[in-house]
Amino acid sequence: NIASTYLPKPGIERVTRAYHFAEAAHHGQKRLSGQPFIDHPVQVSIILAQLRQDADTICAALLHDVLEDTQIKPEQIKQQFGEKVLFLIKGVTKLTALKINSREEMQAENVRKMFLAMAEDIRIVFIKLADRLHNMRTLEHLSPEKQIENSRETMDIYAPLAHRLGLGLIKWELEDLSFRYLDPVQFQEIREKVTGKRKE
C-alpha cells in the first residue's frame, strides 16, 4: 500500500475503513471489463497515493462513486468519514455531472475555468483527474464512438488541466492514451520508431 509509506497510522486506518466500506457498497457490481467495480476506485486511490495526497483525498477517491452507484446516503458518509470527505465526494459528483457540449457551444478553455471555479477544493480536481486517467487506461472496453468522444474530451480538457496543475506525468499519459484512439495509425508508427519493433 503506497499510502502507508507516508500517511500517519490514523490516516491509514481511515483509508482501510473506506476501502472496506466501498467494497461492501459496490458488492456484486462489475465494470464493462468484467472486473469487480471496486477495482476502479482502488486504482484511482493508488494514482492519488502516488501523488502523496492526504487521507481525506484517498478516502474520497475510494468512495467517489458510492453516492451515484449504490444505495449509500450522504449522511452515512458524513457519519463514518466526516464532513470533509463528503464534501470532496459531492464535488467530484458535481464535476462528473457537468455535461460538455460541442466546441462551438462551449470552448474547452471555458470548461477548464468552470472546472476550477466549481472545484472549491483543488483536491476535487485531483480526484477527477485520477478518475479520468484510470478510465482512459481501460477505454478498450467501450464502444469505438465512446472511445473517440472520451479521447477528444481528455485531450481538450483533462490533459491541459493536468498541465496547469503541474502534473506532468499525468498530462503525458492522458495525451498518450487519447492519441492511441484519435489517430491509431500514427500512434503505432511512432510507437514502432520508439521501440524499434513492428507490431506482429
Side-chain angles (χ1 to χ4, degrees), residues 97-114:
L98 177 63
K99 297 301 179 187
I100 298 169
N101 299 313
S102 68
R103 293 188 195 183
E104 292 75 21
E105 294 176 37
M106 188 183 296
Q107 291 296 317
E109 177 64 20
N110 292 334
V111 178
R112 287 195 291 272
K113 288 177 181 176
M114 285 178 64

Side-chain angles (χ1 to χ4, degrees), residues 27-41:
H27 180 72
Q29 296 180 346
K30 292 191 180 296
R31 304 257 293 166
L32 288 176
S33 63
Q35 293 292 316
F37 190 91
I38 188 63
D39 182 62
H40 171 64

Side-chain angles (χ1 to χ4, degrees), residues 90-102:
K90 284 184 172 181
V92 174
T93 302
K94 195 194 311 185
L95 288 186
T96 302
L98 177 63
K99 297 301 179 187
I100 298 169
N101 299 313
S102 68

Side-chain angles (χ1 to χ4, degrees), residues 148 151 178-190:
I148 295 295
S151 295
S178 299
F179 188 41
R180 177 181 309 211
Y181 294 98
L182 293 174
D183 196 338
V185 174
Q186 190 175 357
F187 175 84
Q188 187 58 40
E189 288 175 355
I190 292 173

